[in-house]
Amino acid sequence: LILISRSLPELEKVKEEFQPKAQQHVHLFDVDITNDQSVDQVFRKINRQKIEIKVLINNAGYFAVGSTELSTNDLRHLIDTNLIGAHNM
């Protein structure tokens, strides 16, 4: 089982709760899915450790209330996370 997030400390909390139920080793990686180099780096780490990915569940994304009033930078971040990030994974 592989858990990926931008926040390694948050992943540690999830691992503590989930590990007893997982019945397998839980691998943690921090990655910014909006950054191509970050995604490439995490997949290189996974390959080096010979971890097989059988299923990918991408739960990254968000919605901004009042999206029509977003600044250009906020809209770019929303698109980078929800569209580009999903593509990168």
Side-chain angles (χ1 to χ4, degrees):
L1 178 63
I2 303 169
L3 301 176
I4 296 174
S5 175
R6 283 179 288 166
S7 172
L8 205 51
E10 289 298 318
L11 282 179
E12 293 287 351
K13 292 178 189 174
V14 172
K15 181 180 179 178
E16 285 178 28
E17 180 181 335
F18 199 77
Q19 181 71 59
K21 301 171 192 171
Q23 299 179 349
Q24 58 184 307
H25 182 72
V26 178
H27 304 272
L28 303 180
F29 297 97
D30 59 326
V31 63
D32 177 358
I33 65 166
T34 66
N35 180 298
D36 294 347
Q37 290 176 326
S38 182
V39 172
D40 289 344
Q41 183 180 36
V42 79
F43 278 108
R44 281 194 302 274
K45 287 179 186 178
I46 289 168
N47 286 332
R48 271 196 309 270
Q49 294 182 29
K50 300 188 184 330
I51 302 168
E52 182 181 6
I53 300 173
K54 294 181 182 178
V55 176
L56 172 67
I57 300 171
N58 181 12
N59 192 38
Y62 71 96
F63 178 76
V65 176
S67 295
T68 58
E69 299 173 15
L70 287 176
S71 71
T72 301
N73 284 339
D74 288 343
L75 180 59
R76 238 184 227 111
H77 188 260
L78 186 140
I79 290 170
D80 284 349
T81 302
N82 295 346
L83 299 177
I84 305 302
H87 175 268
N88 285 344
M89 294 308 293

